[in-house]
Amino acid sequence: MKDTITVTFQETGNVTSPSGFQASGVAAAIKKPGRLDMALIYSEKPCNAAAVYTTNKVQAAPLTVTREHIAAGALRAVVINAGNANACTGEQGLENARTMATKAGIALGLKAQEVAVSSTGVIGQQMPMERIVAGIEKLSQSLSNEGYQAAEAIMTTDLVPKTGKVELSIGEQKITIGAMAKGSGMIHPNMATMLAFYTTDAKISKPLLEKAMKKATKVSYNMISVDGDTSTNDMALILANGTSLAPAIEAEGPLYDAFEKGLIELSVHLAKAIARDGEGATKLVGVHVKGAKTEEDAQKAARTVISSSLFKSAIFGADANWGRILCAIGYSGADFDPSTVDIYLGDIQTARDGEALDFSEEKAVSILSQREVTITADLKNGQAEARAWGCDLTYEYVKINADYRT
Amino acid sequence: MKDTITVTFQETGNVTSPSGFQASGVAAAIKKPGRLDMALIYSEKPCNAAAVYTTNKVQAAPLTVTREHIAAGALRAVVINAGNANACTGEQGLENARTMATKAGIALGLKAQEVAVSSTGVIGQQMPMERIVAGIEKLSQSLSNEGYQAAEAIMTTDLVPKTGKVELSIGEQKITIGAMAKGSGMIHPNMATMLAFYTTDAKISKPLLEKAMKKATKVSYNMISVDGDTSTNDMALILANGTSLAPAIEAEGPLYDAFEKGLIELSVHLAKAIARDGEGATKLVGVHVKGAKTEEDAQKAARTVISSSLFKSAIFGADANWGRILCAIGYSGADFDPSTVDIYLGDIQTARDGEALDFSEEKAVSILSQREVTITADLKNGQAEARAWGCDLTYEYVKINADYRT
């Protein structure tokens, strides 16, 4: 590997950006009539696939089917619906998830085993299979290189579609990774109700694909929280069809490192987009914990702060209540000494060695009133650090989740 | 022990109900001027004492002082203030907490070591010691057998004072346990921003007093959640002055069992009162998990459901979304099989063996619209059970915690 490798992230771009992938999104009346609610990703060539799933003990039927199909070999397509999670639906639900793969396979000329399945929406209701099957038919007929309708179709309470791509340049050759994701409620560390789908034209072995996905998930989706709830349906899945003319990634080294770096950058972008678009959110909040003894300590502390309802309410109200930050680190389980902690709201230091400093409350309110707020806690206890992202807790969050008719 | 022992709980009654205790509550301008914000409990005789503290790594100064004084021997008094937590206040804060004990000791003719100290309120600000010292002087001059002003003085965002008593009748003799508590925000398993003070005239050894307090805390304060935050200041403390003529409790047996039973009943009453009065709450929500493999599994499951923002929002909106209950049990860490779980909203069964049942949504909405709602999950996986209590998540919770001026 003599060539310089550059990694470039772009917000424009989606699952159809890498060569050899098509996608579609249609309205199948699973959500309210007229809204896009089913999506399909299709690859011309067989793909190595890897996925990360929710840690919830209650796992929706599509996860079982997708696990089986990835274990069985190469994938060619993913069929996705919003509006119904197909969770807590028993044997009938499992049969319905299998039918989704079978029907997509028939429509595309593939074996059922080559199709992954994913669902998001209401828990505990059986899927409206007649409309699902009709939707699959429509999806297979509207595949294109456009890709944005698919990103819109997987949204539930999301306000905006979330997509992006990363390009790796290796001399004359190029590897592209494209992605789409959805989030919004029930978003919490260890995979929340979030779905993320990646496509890449990289020629990469399944073990390295798995390794890169695990690494990227750990520092992105596992570091965001909207409400502390972990869903039954989360899945982040990548398809690699190997159509790029760039060298194959079959061992660790500079090219694998660049691929992992690109995947992380894309994942962090999507994770932050999910946090920013959290149910009812008015602000994106970043928490940077540094000076921790271990990365695990830093992650625990950052995730606990971003998950605290008291902290999130204070951010909504632009309240410079830094004590709630130290308090949350205190019950995070992280190893630290409260009497060495420094805390910053944006660039204003509000506490040194665990005690209050004089600071301009006016300036603090101005910082906390911005659309993006970053909090830093320096534990001064080591070299490790971590970043987590979330949003404020607002009246609108309560409203969205109190009304079962939304 | 031949006599029958009866245990009787009464809502009327407080820390002055047992013989030999007095209390007072005064306005010392620590909160808004005019509001009661300092309290004192005083015992005529030296007391065996036991306490349970927050598990937060950040511990407020008064906890350090109270620990030391309980370890040193008998207590005679507890001095408490609301409006300032004396947390994250460093050496100066520790000195201030010691001064509170010293000054109360001087006013009451006691050694500083005989006085416990407790604070609740804002984190990260030094105590207004001039007003605190003046308040202690007033407290010592207004001791009485009334007791309700003390219960009002320890309130922060609480809307109502929380008190109660339990009487044990042993033949002609009587043991009384009285208590007061405060809660409201930052209330979560493992002791939240809650303070509870118990007095009893029982003659009971320190180890048995400790044992009973730990047991009572585990099934009461550790099983309530308002917002998932664990405070820096929590404390539940009991003083036993031995003035009752009933037999001494110096070994386990029927009398100890009755004492423990009474303490549990009183603690569960206060814990439920704290949950009902959670910040912004409109409803008391009880979660009963039964059929668990172990008590720990049952507790994990019950506490996770009661802590879920999604579940709490659904209860606020009277939304019969039982899937969120099963989902929360799924990420609780409890050992169970999703396909055997039955779920009930009040007396309506909404799921059997992890799958939806047909039920009247109208009836469900009517049940969820009441001021007290009980959810039952039967895991059908064993004999253990647990109960947890909490409240709904409302616009008002967000409002209270978004505004630093409240």
Side-chain angles (χ1 to χ4, degrees), chain A residues 328-348:
Chain A
I329 299 173
Y331 65 80
S332 69
D335 184 9
F336 78 107
D337 176 355
S339 72
T340 64
V341 179
D342 294 351
I343 291 175
Y344 301 79
L345 309 180
D347 57 357
I348 305 184

mmCIF file of all heavy atoms in Angstrom, chain A residues 328-348:
data_model
loop_
_atom_site.group_PDB
_atom_site.id
_atom_site.type_symbol
_atom_site.label_atom_id
_atom_site.label_comp_id
_atom_site.label_asym_id
_atom_site.label_seq_id
_atom_site.Cartn_x
_atom_site.Cartn_y
_atom_site.Cartn_z
ATOM 1 N N ALA A 328 -24.485 13.684 38.126
ATOM 2 C CA ALA A 328 -24.723 12.549 37.222
ATOM 3 C C ALA A 328 -23.448 11.714 37.058
ATOM 4 O O ALA A 328 -23.506 10.480 37.043
ATOM 5 C CB ALA A 328 -25.216 13.048 35.866
ATOM 6 N N ILE A 329 -22.291 12.364 36.949
ATOM 7 C CA ILE A 329 -21.040 11.603 36.872
ATOM 8 C C ILE A 329 -20.890 10.778 38.149
ATOM 9 O O ILE A 329 -20.452 9.630 38.120
ATOM 10 C CB ILE A 329 -19.829 12.545 36.664
ATOM 11 C CG1 ILE A 329 -19.982 13.321 35.345
ATOM 12 C CG2 ILE A 329 -18.520 11.754 36.644
ATOM 13 C CD1 ILE A 329 -18.924 14.406 35.142
ATOM 14 N N GLY A 330 -21.344 11.343 39.254
ATOM 15 C CA GLY A 330 -21.236 10.676 40.554
ATOM 16 C C GLY A 330 -21.990 9.364 40.625
ATOM 17 O O GLY A 330 -21.579 8.455 41.339
ATOM 18 N N TYR A 331 -23.119 9.246 39.912
ATOM 19 C CA TYR A 331 -23.847 7.973 39.969
ATOM 20 C C TYR A 331 -23.664 7.141 38.700
ATOM 21 O O TYR A 331 -24.350 6.152 38.489
ATOM 22 C CB TYR A 331 -25.334 8.176 40.320
ATOM 23 C CG TYR A 331 -26.204 8.912 39.335
ATOM 24 C CD1 TYR A 331 -26.718 8.271 38.213
ATOM 25 C CD2 TYR A 331 -26.565 10.234 39.541
ATOM 26 C CE1 TYR A 331 -27.540 8.928 37.321
ATOM 27 C CE2 TYR A 331 -27.383 10.909 38.655
ATOM 28 C CZ TYR A 331 -27.874 10.250 37.549
ATOM 29 O OH TYR A 331 -28.688 10.913 36.663
ATOM 30 N N SER A 332 -22.695 7.533 37.863
ATOM 31 C CA SER A 332 -22.478 6.823 36.597
ATOM 32 C C SER A 332 -21.754 5.496 36.773
ATOM 33 O O SER A 332 -21.762 4.659 35.873
ATOM 34 C CB SER A 332 -21.652 7.704 35.649
ATOM 35 O OG SER A 332 -20.322 7.823 36.133
ATOM 36 N N GLY A 333 -21.094 5.320 37.904
ATOM 37 C CA GLY A 333 -20.273 4.127 38.087
ATOM 38 C C GLY A 333 -18.836 4.339 37.623
ATOM 39 O O GLY A 333 -18.002 3.448 37.769
ATOM 40 N N ALA A 334 -18.520 5.501 37.058
ATOM 41 C CA ALA A 334 -17.145 5.779 36.622
ATOM 42 C C ALA A 334 -16.236 5.962 37.838
ATOM 43 O O ALA A 334 -16.676 6.455 38.880
ATOM 44 C CB ALA A 334 -17.111 7.042 35.763
ATOM 45 N N ASP A 335 -14.972 5.553 37.682
ATOM 46 C CA ASP A 335 -13.987 5.716 38.744
ATOM 47 C C ASP A 335 -13.394 7.119 38.642
ATOM 48 O O ASP A 335 -12.756 7.452 37.655
ATOM 49 C CB ASP A 335 -12.894 4.653 38.566
ATOM 50 C CG ASP A 335 -11.871 4.702 39.688
ATOM 51 O OD1 ASP A 335 -12.096 5.430 40.675
ATOM 52 O OD2 ASP A 335 -10.852 4.005 39.560
ATOM 53 N N PHE A 336 -13.600 7.947 39.645
ATOM 54 C CA PHE A 336 -13.043 9.311 39.611
ATOM 55 C C PHE A 336 -13.104 9.894 41.017
ATOM 56 O O PHE A 336 -13.746 9.354 41.918
ATOM 57 C CB PHE A 336 -13.834 10.189 38.632
ATOM 58 C CG PHE A 336 -15.149 10.687 39.175
ATOM 59 C CD1 PHE A 336 -15.324 12.013 39.555
ATOM 60 C CD2 PHE A 336 -16.213 9.819 39.336
ATOM 61 C CE1 PHE A 336 -16.535 12.464 40.071
ATOM 62 C CE2 PHE A 336 -17.426 10.255 39.856
ATOM 63 C CZ PHE A 336 -17.586 11.576 40.221
ATOM 64 N N ASP A 337 -12.431 11.022 41.172
ATOM 65 C CA ASP A 337 -12.421 11.717 42.457
ATOM 66 C C ASP A 337 -13.163 13.042 42.278
ATOM 67 O O ASP A 337 -12.705 13.916 41.552
ATOM 68 C CB ASP A 337 -10.968 11.959 42.887
ATOM 69 C CG ASP A 337 -10.871 12.769 44.167
ATOM 70 O OD1 ASP A 337 -11.913 13.227 44.680
ATOM 71 O OD2 ASP A 337 -9.737 12.942 44.648
ATOM 72 N N PRO A 338 -14.313 13.210 42.941
ATOM 73 C CA PRO A 338 -15.103 14.434 42.752
ATOM 74 C C PRO A 338 -14.293 15.707 42.999
ATOM 75 O O PRO A 338 -14.588 16.745 42.397
ATOM 76 C CB PRO A 338 -16.223 14.305 43.788
ATOM 77 C CG PRO A 338 -16.331 12.837 44.070
ATOM 78 C CD PRO A 338 -14.963 12.266 43.880
ATOM 79 N N SER A 339 -13.260 15.631 43.831
ATOM 80 C CA SER A 339 -12.546 16.855 44.192
ATOM 81 C C SER A 339 -11.473 17.249 43.177
ATOM 82 O O SER A 339 -10.692 18.164 43.424
ATOM 83 C CB SER A 339 -11.919 16.716 45.576
ATOM 84 O OG SER A 339 -10.823 15.823 45.502
ATOM 85 N N THR A 340 -11.409 16.558 42.010
ATOM 86 C CA THR A 340 -10.473 17.009 40.970
ATOM 87 C C THR A 340 -11.194 17.363 39.671
ATOM 88 O O THR A 340 -10.543 17.617 38.655
ATOM 89 C CB THR A 340 -9.422 15.920 40.637
ATOM 90 O OG1 THR A 340 -10.104 14.782 40.088
ATOM 91 C CG2 THR A 340 -8.634 15.499 41.856
ATOM 92 N N VAL A 341 -12.523 17.402 39.669
ATOM 93 C CA VAL A 341 -13.258 17.579 38.409
ATOM 94 C C VAL A 341 -13.412 19.053 38.021
ATOM 95 O O VAL A 341 -13.820 19.877 38.836
ATOM 96 C CB VAL A 341 -14.654 16.930 38.508
ATOM 97 C CG1 VAL A 341 -15.428 17.132 37.212
ATOM 98 C CG2 VAL A 341 -14.541 15.448 38.837
ATOM 99 N N ASP A 342 -13.071 19.358 36.759
ATOM 100 C CA ASP A 342 -13.328 20.681 36.186
ATOM 101 C C ASP A 342 -14.504 20.561 35.226
ATOM 102 O O ASP A 342 -14.589 19.592 34.477
ATOM 103 C CB ASP A 342 -12.115 21.192 35.396
ATOM 104 C CG ASP A 342 -10.911 21.449 36.302
ATOM 105 O OD1 ASP A 342 -11.076 21.388 37.536
ATOM 106 O OD2 ASP A 342 -9.825 21.696 35.752
ATOM 107 N N ILE A 343 -15.386 21.555 35.214
ATOM 108 C CA ILE A 343 -16.547 21.515 34.316
ATOM 109 C C ILE A 343 -16.638 22.805 33.508
ATOM 110 O O ILE A 343 -16.434 23.898 34.035
ATOM 111 C CB ILE A 343 -17.841 21.267 35.124
ATOM 112 C CG1 ILE A 343 -17.815 19.827 35.662
ATOM 113 C CG2 ILE A 343 -19.095 21.484 34.268
ATOM 114 C CD1 ILE A 343 -18.945 19.468 36.561
ATOM 115 N N TYR A 344 -16.923 22.629 32.209
ATOM 116 C CA TYR A 344 -17.051 23.763 31.290
ATOM 117 C C TYR A 344 -18.405 23.697 30.583
ATOM 118 O O TYR A 344 -18.798 22.633 30.102
ATOM 119 C CB TYR A 344 -15.968 23.717 30.211
ATOM 120 C CG TYR A 344 -14.545 23.730 30.733
ATOM 121 C CD1 TYR A 344 -13.961 22.577 31.243
ATOM 122 C CD2 TYR A 344 -13.791 24.906 30.707
ATOM 123 C CE1 TYR A 344 -12.663 22.587 31.728
ATOM 124 C CE2 TYR A 344 -12.483 24.921 31.184
ATOM 125 C CZ TYR A 344 -11.926 23.765 31.691
ATOM 126 O OH TYR A 344 -10.637 23.780 32.161
ATOM 127 N N LEU A 345 -19.082 24.821 30.486
ATOM 128 C CA LEU A 345 -20.268 24.957 29.624
ATOM 129 C C LEU A 345 -19.783 25.743 28.414
ATOM 130 O O LEU A 345 -19.429 26.918 28.547
ATOM 131 C CB LEU A 345 -21.392 25.727 30.326
ATOM 132 C CG LEU A 345 -21.804 25.246 31.733
ATOM 133 C CD1 LEU A 345 -22.935 26.124 32.280
ATOM 134 C CD2 LEU A 345 -22.244 23.789 31.705
ATOM 135 N N GLY A 346 -19.726 25.080 27.236
ATOM 136 C CA GLY A 346 -19.062 25.730 26.102
ATOM 137 C C GLY A 346 -17.643 26.035 26.530
ATOM 138 O O GLY A 346 -16.934 25.141 27.006
ATOM 139 N N ASP A 347 -17.215 27.303 26.420
ATOM 140 C CA ASP A 347 -15.837 27.640 26.815
ATOM 141 C C ASP A 347 -15.762 28.329 28.186
ATOM 142 O O ASP A 347 -14.709 28.821 28.574
ATOM 143 C CB ASP A 347 -15.169 28.500 25.735
ATOM 144 C CG ASP A 347 -15.954 29.773 25.445
ATOM 145 O OD1 ASP A 347 -17.042 29.942 26.062
ATOM 146 O OD2 ASP A 347 -15.504 30.581 24.624
ATOM 147 N N ILE A 348 -16.879 28.351 28.906
ATOM 148 C CA ILE A 348 -16.848 28.942 30.252
ATOM 149 C C ILE A 348 -16.599 27.866 31.290
ATOM 150 O O ILE A 348 -17.362 26.902 31.389
ATOM 151 C CB ILE A 348 -18.205 29.573 30.633
ATOM 152 C CG1 ILE A 348 -18.667 30.590 29.609
ATOM 153 C CG2 ILE A 348 -18.118 30.226 32.008
ATOM 154 C CD1 ILE A 348 -19.950 31.264 30.047
#
